Structures are given as C-alpha cells and as structure tokens.
Amino acid sequence: MQSFKVTRVYNNAKGDSCFEDIEYPLTDKGPIGYLSEKVKVSNLLFRKVPPGYNDLHTAPQKQYVILLDGAVEIETSLAEKRIFNEGQILLMEDTEGKGHRSKNVLPLERSSLFVTFD
C-alpha cells in the first residue's frame, strides 16, 4: 500500500518533546495518482528564516511544516536530533512543554510553508 510519510513532533505527559514517524495511507485513484483522505486545515503561512537561525521554542499552534529548500535540524528536549531536508513534512504539535530547537543546517536562508489546523 502507498503512504505519505510525516514526522510528528509532540510533547509527552512530562512535557518533553518527542519524535514519532507516522504515515498517511493513500488510495489508488487511477490516472490522477494516489490520494489520502482529506485533512482539515485552517491557514497557510509562507516563512523564510535567516542563515543563522537557531531557536528553542514550542510550536505556536498545531501545524504542518513543509520544507521548500535547505535543511533543518530539530532537537527534542530529550536531546534526540534529526535532520530534515527540502520536500519533507513535519507535523508540529508540541505547543506546550519544554519545546524543541530548530537550527538551519546550511548557512543559507531557508523557506517553508506552515499549514495550520485546530
């Protein structure tokens, strides 16, 4: 079965940020390709961060982050680190707790899309 992979960042009961790999199943829709079920979203924001971006924070709201270029290192409050590259999608749900650190991997401006939901 086809699926779409997304990395979720959430806070556990102790307030620590954690990673979880999830998959959205896709259904064969013939000539138009494989589609997931609809996901209800609220807003779309365009974002650019400067080359030296390095910030510890919680997500301001639940959102998908779609990386358009560059690479970002995400470090959870449990010190687990992963690098994400252009084309990858993050599901940011750690709106409370200790937060995560986001750091540009390359010394370049990085662009992404934020797709928010409730």
Side-chain angles (χ1 to χ4, degrees):
M1 173 164 43
Q2 294 281 338
S3 65
F4 211 93
K5 295 178 178 135
V6 174
T7 300
R8 178 180 178 229
V9 179
Y10 67 98
N11 56 287
N12 65 19
K14 293 181 179 179
D16 287 305
S17 57
C18 305
F19 289 117
E20 178 185 19
D21 297 319
I22 60 175
E23 294 188 27
Y24 289 85
L26 303 176
T27 303
D28 187 351
K29 298 294 184 180
I32 65 167
Y34 292 82
L35 297 176
S36 72
E37 293 295 320
K38 290 181 181 179
V39 177
K40 187 167 176 63
V41 297
S42 303
N43 295 293
L44 171 70
L45 293 95
F46 299 90
R47 182 183 192 206
K48 288 186 181 273
V49 296
Y53 183 77
N54 184 345
D55 187 51
L56 176 63
H57 58 278
T58 56
Q61 58 196 30
K62 292 181 179 182
Q63 59 194 4
Y64 293 92
V65 177
I66 303 158
L67 302 169
L68 299 177
D69 57 23
V72 62
E73 178 185 85
I74 304 290
E75 180 179 359
T76 68
S77 60
L78 298 172
E80 183 180 358
K81 295 179 183 181
R82 293 189 188 181
I83 293 177
F84 301 94
N85 296 294
E86 63 185 69
Q88 291 188 281
I89 299 174
L90 297 160
L91 171 55
M92 306 305 294
E93 294 185 318
D94 67 330
T95 58
E96 299 177 347
K98 299 174 185 171
H100 63 276
R101 178 170 298 282
S102 299
K103 180 172 80 171
N104 274 2
V105 174
L106 303 171
L108 303 169
E109 181 178 75
R110 181 172 45 85
S111 303
S112 55
L113 296 176
F114 287 2
V115 181
T116 66
F117 63 95
D118 298 321

